[in-house]
Amino acid sequence: MKAIVFQEINKVALADVPRPTMQSPDDAIIKVTLTSICGTDIHMIHGAAPMMPGDVLGHEFVGVIEELGSNVDGFKVGDRVAVACTVQCGKCEMCLKGILPKCVRSGVFGCGPLLGNLAGAQADFVRVPFAQIAMHKIPAGLTDAQALFVGDILSTGYFAVTNGKLAPGDAVAVFGAGPVGLCATACARLFSPSKVIVVDPIPHRLEIARKLGATHTIDPTKTDAVNEIKELTGGAPTSLLEEFSNRSGADVAIEAVGIKPTFDACFQAVKPGGNVSIVGVFEEPQELLMSQLCVKNIGITMGLVNVIHMARLLRIIEAGLLDMTPLITHTMPLAEAVRGYEMFDKKLDNVIKIALKP
Ligand code: NAD
Ligand code: ZN
């Protein structure tokens, strides 16, 4: 079968690889009908974690069940399914606590030997271990494109919002309008916030943010984003003394980039008593001003996506409350994915997400 494989740092290729076979009665083999390129694939090809030459990439996908293990209940061959990007057994202490990404048997498709050594989904077929937990039936009325992001970036956006404990009437600031920040923006709207303020230097991404529910957008290269957020949420302080008594700011600040400027800005823009929810992946260590954050009573959460809400997200999409298809700016055959990788990595041609058809 055809697949997109890692060759060396910054190099991927279309290759012929063996078709996966069942290895356990907990497995399913999925015929991939739509997959995508994710920011994490880019981290992987840049060398964020080791990959072996020939490893199949990709972890965001939907497909049809081709083969099904005898331990997997409630599904049949031919069912259309959305599949989680992470694999979890559903039985260990971490799974039973609901912390799926920390399952003792966890893995991420297409992310190399340190992350479960699982072949990825940018391929004609993929083997899904512990398929009972990873798979969710796609409601009949939904297209593959509507369900594509449920197992990865949409779950991440939802996770960012719920980790931040966003409540009705709150103001939320989302730093980064990449695919993840845009999913967080759309998910924030589900919680009836009073303001959704999105910060990104790319005008086209801010335009999509507004379509997905941003009430205000800020280009941080044109104005001081923190000041602007404070102006929008009660007024910026005008003196050091006022700074101390000031209660303006976002109730929830979401970091969806993974760099120092947005990390720092989240802590400056959050209101006293508010929460900073971090989903950006950082390549560098960051510094926290502990005494200031303690005095401001700031809550901080972070982590790898928990895919526990996939069924809920599919219901929300089915009900017409969420539509992430505007993120798909490009669709191409899997065979052209090498070009897609370059386009996605360099953010060419106003790309946001590329859907790949095997
Ligand atoms: P992306 O690179 O497409 O998006 C990042 C966005 O940040 C871009 O639109 C960019 O213009 C913007 N940006 C750059 N500098 C900025 C600044 N100073 N202020 C505001 N915005 C700025 O990436 P993505 O696919 O949306 O992913 C975002 C982050 O989330 C990445 O670090 C990715 O690895 C991470 N991620 C985490 C998880 C998780 O489980 N926690 C899952 C998926 C992705
Ligand atoms: Zn991903």
Side-chain angles (χ1 to χ4, degrees):
M1 67 168 188
K2 297 287 182 203
I4 299 299
V5 300
F6 174 85
Q7 277 195 316
E8 57 185 77
I9 301 285
N10 290 332
K11 201 161 176 208
V12 299
L14 179 70
D16 281 303
V17 302
R19 188 173 150 163
T21 53
M22 297 283 289
Q23 292 176 20
S24 142
D26 294 317
D27 287 355
I29 303 290
I30 303 299
K31 179 175 169 43
V32 179
T33 50
L34 203 61
T35 179
S36 78
I37 304 174
C38 171
T40 304
D41 297 321
I42 301 298
H43 283 307
M44 297 310 299
I45 66 166
H46 288 173
M51 296 277 293
M52 304 307 286
D55 279 353
V56 180
L57 285 151
H59 53 268
E60 192 165 52
F61 64 107
V62 293
V64 175
I65 299 176
E66 180 84 4
E67 284 178 68
L68 195 60
S70 55
N71 285 353
V72 188
D73 278 341
F75 294 91
K76 59 182 187 321
V77 167
D79 280 346
R80 292 171 65 224
V81 287
V83 185
C85 60
T86 58
V87 158
Q88 42 277 312
C89 71
K91 293 175 189 158
C92 71
E93 186 188 348
M94 284 295 166
C95 283
L96 294 177
K97 275 172 147 174
I99 309 170
L100 303 192
K102 293 293 103 194
C103 167
V104 296
R105 299 174 190 92
S106 69
V108 187
F109 293 100
C111 285
L114 289 187
L115 290 163
N117 209 15
L118 298 169
Q122 288 164 9
D124 291 328
F125 295 91
V126 61
R127 180 180 74 91
V128 176
F130 304 115
Q132 184 78 59
I133 313 294
M135 302 192 307
H136 295 270
K137 278 187 209 164
I138 299 176
L142 298 193
T143 62
D144 283 356
Q146 283 175 294
L148 178 59
F149 304 130
V150 167
D152 186 1
I153 57 165
L154 186 54
S155 281
T156 305
Y158 191 83
F159 174 69
V161 170
T162 53
N163 262 355
K165 302 186 178 67
L166 185 67
D170 280 355
V172 53
V174 181
F175 286 85
V180 171
L182 289 170
C183 285
T185 300
C187 287
R189 208 177 43 178
L190 300 169
F191 295 81
S192 304
S194 56
K195 292 191 174 77
V196 182
I197 307 163
V198 180
V199 185
D200 198 290
I202 303 179
H204 168 249
R205 294 190 167 201
L206 293 179
E207 196 183 309
I208 297 201
R210 286 190 290 273
K211 284 188 188 143
L212 292 173
T215 56
H216 302 80
T217 54
I218 301 173
D219 177 344
T221 62
K222 300 228 167 79
T223 126
D224 180 328
V226 170
N227 234 32
E228 183 83 14
I229 290 165
K230 292 205 167 158
E231 285 295 350
L232 289 167
T233 54
T238 51
S239 66
L240 196 60
L241 187 66
E242 225 190 278
E243 168 93 49
F244 201 72
S245 57
N246 191 278
R247 298 289 180 268
S248 62
D251 298 276
V252 180
I254 293 176
E255 207 292 338
V257 190
I259 56 173
K260 179 172 169 58
T262 46
F263 180 85
D264 290 344
C266 279
F267 290 101
Q268 290 157 5
V270 70
K271 184 178 183 165
N275 295 313
V276 174
S277 169
I278 301 168
V279 283
V281 171
F282 288 80
E283 292 180 2
E284 303 291 337
Q286 302 298 322
E287 201 174 26
L288 284 176
L289 301 175
M290 290 305 291
S291 59
Q292 285 185 22
L293 296 176
C294 174
V295 170
K296 271 179 86 178
N297 286 51
I298 300 304
I300 308 174
T301 50
M302 66 192 83
L304 292 176
V305 58
N306 191 336
V307 293
I308 203 160
H309 294 297
M310 283 179 67
R312 181 194 302 281
L313 287 167
L314 283 165
R315 285 197 301 274
I316 293 172
I317 296 170
E318 192 184 16
L321 298 169
L322 204 52
D323 176 17
M324 300 318 299
T325 55
L327 297 197
I328 304 177
T329 49
H330 298 73
T331 300
M332 55 179 76
L334 181 70
E336 287 173 32
V338 175
R339 176 170 71 86
Y341 263 87
E342 192 189 0
M343 180 185 271
F344 189 75
D345 192 5
K346 296 185 179 155
K347 297 186 169 57
L348 305 175
D349 196 28
N350 278 341
V351 68
I352 296 191
K353 283 293 272 191
I354 299 176
L356 302 171
K357 276 182 191 263

